[in-house]
Amino acid sequence: MGRLVVAVAASAAICASGAAHAESPRASVEGELDASLRDAVARAVGESDKPVANRFEARRRARDAGEDVIAVLRSEGYYAYDVEPDVGDGETPTPIIKVKPGPRFTIAEPQIDWLEPAPLPEVRQAGEAVMGLATGAPGRAVDVINAEGRIVAAVQKRGYADVASAPREVIVDHADRTVRPTYKIEAGDLVRLDGLKLLTEGRTDRPWLEHLAPWKPGEVYDPEDVGELERRLLDTGVYDSVTVSLAPKDQATSDGLRPILVSLADRKPRTVELGASYSTSEGVGADAKWTRYNIFGRADTVAALARASNIDSRLGGELTLPHWRRPQQTFKAGAGGYLNRTDAYDETGFGVRADIQRRFRKTSYITLGGSLDYSQTEEHNNLHVNSPDRNLFTAAGLAAGALDRSDDPLDPKRGWRLEVRAEPTYLFGDDSLPYLKVQSQGSAYFPFDARARTVVAGRLKAGVILGATVPQVPASRRFYAGGGGSVRGYAYQAIGPRSVDNTPQGGASVLETSVELRQKIGQHWGVVAFLDAGAVGTDEFPSGDNFSVGAGLGVRYDLGFGPIRADIAIPLDKRKGDPAFQIYLSIGQSF
C-alpha cells in the first residue's frame, strides 16, 4: 500500500509539473491563410512554456515572431505581404501577429547564364531540362534553390567535375508579381579519368583494386562511377574505412587525365566472434567463428566455423572471394561435417560446396553452384522397413535468384521481394535416384500513409519435389513447416504428416502464407498482429486438410539499423504434442 501511495503521488506531481509548464504558441496569428500556409506559419512561430510577464515582453515576442512569419511568406512566394506585430488588450498581454499574405508571386522566364568556358551544347541542354521551373508555378524559394542544385548535378554527371554556381540573380517584380531567377553556372573543363592512385599501403594487391574500377582510362568523369567503386570496396567487408575521391587539378597527368584517389584502412587481420542462442522450440545453441582477412590480397576471407546446439551442430571452413573475375561476382567454397538431431531424423554427414553469386543490387542476385555430401540418416518413423538407416552420397546443383524492390532489408515498409530456388539432385549409395526440388517465396509491403507508420505485409511460399516420393527422399531434404521462420505458434517441423508415434515425416510439397499488420508507436516502438498458415503434403500439392494456422502479437524496438523482434504465437489447430504457445526473439522483421 505504501508503494502504491508513493506511485500515485509521483504521478500527480509529474502531471502537475507538466500542466505548469504546458507549452503555448509564442504568438497568436490572425488573418486569412490557407491551411498549408497557416501550418507553416505556426511551425515558424513555435511555442513557449514561459508566460508573458508584461506588455514590453509581449511586444518583443510579437516582433520576433513577425520576423519568422515574414521569412515563411517570402519562402512560399508571398512578397506583397502585410505583417503587423501587436499586443492584445486585457490584464494578460498577448503577443499577436496580424497577417495579410497578399497574392502569391509566380515564376517567370527562368534562365541559365553559362560562364566561360561554357560546356558542350548537349550538356547545356541537359542542365536546362532538369531545371524544373515552369512559368506560372509558385515562386517558392526552396524550388528556386533546388533547381540550381539539379543543374549543377546534371553538368557534373556529364563530366564537368569542377562545376560551381556563382551567386544567382533573383528579381522579384512587384509590378507583374513574378519571380525571375537567373543562374550563373561555371562548368569548368571537361574531366577525363586516369587510373587509381592508392594513398595507403595495405594488404590489398593493386592490380586487383584496379580491376574494380567501373571506367577505363580516358573515359569522361561520372560521379556515379566514383561512388560505385567505393561501394564495391565497402561490400567486401575487409576494410574499416574506404575513401574514394577525384584528384585535384594540379595532380592531373601530362595527358590531362585526373586519377582517382583511394584510401583504405584494413581491418585487423583476424577476428573471433562468439554467440549464443536459446529458443523454446530449438533449445540451446552456441556459435564460434574465426576469420582471417585478405590473405591473398583480394579482399578475401577465410573462416572456420563451429556450432553446437540441440538440433544443428557443425564444424567447417569457408573461403570467400568477392568481385571474383569480375565486379559484383562472389565465389564461395566451403566444407565441413554436421550432426542434425530433430524430431523427424538424426543425420551425420560431411559435405563440400561451391557457388558463384552475381549481385545486381545490394540484395538482388543470381546464384549458381553445387554440392556433394556423404551422410548417414536415421529416420524416426517406420517408412523404411528394410533400411531405416540410409548411407547416401548426394550431388546437388543450385540455381537461385532474388529480386528485392523493398525499401529496407531489415524493416521494409513498401515494395516487394521475390526469391526462386531450384536444386536438381542425384542420390547414389544405398539408393539411386534423380529428382528436382523447387521452391519460391514472395512478399509485399503496403503502407497506409506517407510516413509508413502503418504497414500491411504479406508473404507466400510454395515448394515441390518432382520425380520422387516422400519415402525415396532423405528425411533431411524433405519439406517441413513450423517455427519462427515459418508458421509461428508451432514447434520446429511440427506441421505436416506425422507417424503413429507423432514423429514429423516431412513432405514432398509445402505451402505457407503470412499476413502482418505493423503499427509504429512513437519514435522507437511498434506493435504487430499476425496470422500464419502452412501445410506440408505428401503429393505435389498440400490438401486443405493439411493446413495449420497460428496467430499472435509482437512488439518491435527500432535500433536505428533495424528492429528487435519479440513475438508470441499460439497454434489454432493444436494437435498432440503441440505447445500452448511459442516465443520468438530476433533482429529484423519476420519477413
Side-chain angles (χ1 to χ4, degrees):
M1 179 63 72
R3 292 178 182 175
L4 178 61
V5 171
V6 171
V8 172
S11 299
I14 292 172
C15 293
S17 175
H21 296 87
E23 293 186 343
S24 59
R26 195 155 50 104
S28 299
V29 178
E30 297 180 355
E32 295 184 5
L33 292 80
D34 62 46
S36 60
L37 183 58
R38 181 172 290 278
D39 289 343
V41 166
R43 288 193 299 270
V45 169
E47 296 181 336
S48 175
D49 59 359
K50 296 181 179 179
V52 177
N54 49 55
R55 293 185 66 83
F56 174 81
E57 173 67 16
R59 189 167 296 280
R60 185 188 64 79
R61 283 198 189 186
R63 285 196 304 268
D64 292 345
E67 293 298 324
D68 294 332
V69 171
I70 289 173
V72 170
L73 294 173
R74 293 177 64 87
S75 70
E76 292 296 323
Y78 296 92
Y79 292 94
Y81 55 80
D82 183 7
V83 175
E84 180 185 351
D86 199 357
V87 177
D89 297 328
E91 295 182 2
T92 303
T94 304
I96 297 173
I97 310 166
K98 298 177 181 179
V99 181
K100 294 180 181 179
R104 197 175 209 178
F105 286 36
T106 57
I107 297 291
E109 301 176 2
Q111 298 179 9
I112 302 176
D113 183 5
W114 299 99
L115 305 181
E116 293 297 332
L120 295 171
E122 56 268 26
V123 177
R124 297 199 296 267
Q125 293 173 6
E128 292 164 359
V130 301
M131 187 163 44
L133 293 179
T135 297
R140 300 175 68 242
V142 66
D143 294 337
V144 173
I145 295 170
N146 289 344
E148 184 175 76
R150 289 193 296 269
I151 295 167
V152 170
V155 174
Q156 189 178 63
K157 170 73 176 173
R158 287 155 179 82
Y160 293 84
D162 304 312
V163 60
S165 58
R168 59 186 171 270
E169 180 181 276
V170 181
I171 297 175
V172 177
D173 193 334
H174 286 259
D176 59 5
R177 296 169 181 169
T178 59
V179 177
R180 301 173 185 270
T182 298
Y183 302 100
K184 300 181 182 297
I185 305 298
E186 184 177 358
D189 297 323
L190 184 66
V191 174
R192 296 186 181 273
L193 295 178
D194 194 22
L196 306 183
K197 184 176 181 180
L198 192 59
L199 301 180
T200 52
E201 292 294 332
R203 300 191 301 270
T204 305
D205 291 340
R206 183 184 180 87
W208 182 84
L209 280 174
E210 290 179 340
H211 105 285
L212 292 185
W215 69 85
K216 295 179 180 179
E219 290 186 356
V220 172
Y221 166 82
D222 185 341
E224 279 299 314
D225 288 342
V226 178
E228 176 62 21
L229 175 60
E230 186 172 71
R231 285 190 292 271
R232 290 176 181 181
L233 290 168
L234 287 170
D235 283 347
T236 65
V238 305
Y239 305 108
D240 279 336
S241 66
V242 174
T243 303
V244 181
S245 61
L246 179 68
K249 289 181 181 181
D250 58 8
Q251 294 187 25
T253 66
S254 58
D255 297 330
L257 305 182
R258 302 259 291 272
I260 295 297
L261 308 179
V262 177
S263 177
L264 302 174
D266 289 314
R267 295 183 66 173
K268 292 182 178 179
R270 302 169 186 84
T271 61
V272 176
E273 302 171 55
L274 301 175
S277 63
Y278 173 77
S279 112
T280 54
S281 60
E282 300 176 29
V284 178
D287 297 86
K289 182 179 181 180
W290 175 90
T291 306
R292 177 74 162 84
Y293 297 104
N294 230 352
I295 294 178
F296 308 114
R298 301 169 54 87
D300 51 274
T301 58
V302 176
L305 309 97
R307 175 171 173 76
S309 73
N310 292 1
I311 289 180
D312 176 20
S313 299
R314 56 188 60 238
L315 179 66
E318 184 177 76
L319 167 68
T320 302
L321 299 177
H323 307 299
W324 182 71
R325 299 182 68 86
R326 61 185 295 184
Q328 302 297 89
Q329 183 167 277
T330 300
F331 172 81
K332 285 186 178 181
Y338 48 86
L339 173 62
N340 297 324
R341 297 185 181 276
T342 74
D343 291 340
Y345 60 86
D346 289 347
E347 180 184 45
T348 303
F350 180 87
V352 295
R353 69 187 188 281
D355 63 62
I356 299 171
Q357 185 176 91
R358 177 69 175 159
R359 193 169 295 277
F360 298 98
R361 290 189 176 187
K362 191 172 183 180
T363 50
S364 296
Y365 60 84
I366 291 176
T367 302
L368 296 175
S371 62
L372 179 64
D373 287 79
Y374 172 75
S375 63
Q376 182 181 66
T377 305
E378 178 185 353
E379 301 182 19
H380 299 169
N381 55 56
N382 297 319
L383 283 174
H384 305 292
V385 177
N386 297 325
S387 180
D389 295 342
R390 306 177 73 184
N391 298 291
L392 294 172
F393 287 93
T394 304
L398 171 64
L403 281 175
D404 189 344
R405 296 296 183 267
S406 64
D407 61 339
D408 190 294
L410 291 177
D411 190 13
K413 298 178 178 64
R414 48 176 58 86
W416 54 271
R417 298 173 180 171
L418 178 63
E419 301 174 18
V420 180
R421 184 182 182 94
E423 298 174 74
T425 305
Y426 185 75
L427 306 176
F428 55 99
D430 289 345
D431 301 299
S432 179
L433 176 73
Y435 67 87
L436 176 64
K437 185 177 183 180
V438 181
Q439 54 187 317
S440 179
Q441 177 169 286
S443 56
Y445 312 93
F446 305 96
F448 271 53
D449 56 280
R451 298 174 61 193
R453 295 185 65 82
T454 305
V455 176
V456 171
R459 177 184 71 95
L460 180 64
K461 175 183 176 180
V464 63
I465 295 175
L466 302 173
T469 62
V470 173
Q472 293 175 313
V473 178
S476 61
R477 295 181 178 267
R478 300 171 191 160
F479 286 113
Y480 297 89
S486 176
V487 181
R488 286 162 287 185
Y490 296 86
Y492 180 65
Q493 297 183 339
I495 292 175
R498 301 185 187 181
S499 61
V500 177
D501 63 356
N502 211 39
T503 300
Q505 296 182 18
S509 59
V510 65
L511 186 64
E512 295 177 0
T513 184
S514 300
V515 177
E516 288 193 350
L517 177 62
R518 303 171 182 173
Q519 178 63 54
K520 192 76 176 287
I521 299 176
Q523 186 68 23
H524 297 286
W525 290 96
V527 294
V528 172
F530 58 85
L531 189 69
D532 297 342
V536 174
T538 55
D539 298 320
E540 292 185 357
F541 195 84
S543 67
D545 297 336
N546 300 133
F547 274 88
S548 297
V549 180
L553 299 172
V555 295
R556 307 287 185 265
Y557 183 81
D558 190 355
L559 298 172
F561 62 88
I564 290 180
R565 169 167 59 98
D567 292 335
I568 182 170
I570 60 173
L572 301 184
D573 298 296
K574 188 177 179 182
R575 295 190 292 176
K576 180 182 177 182
D578 286 336
F581 63 90
Q582 291 279 0
I583 296 175
Y584 308 94
L585 300 174
S586 186
I587 294 178
Q589 297 287 3
S590 56
F591 59 88

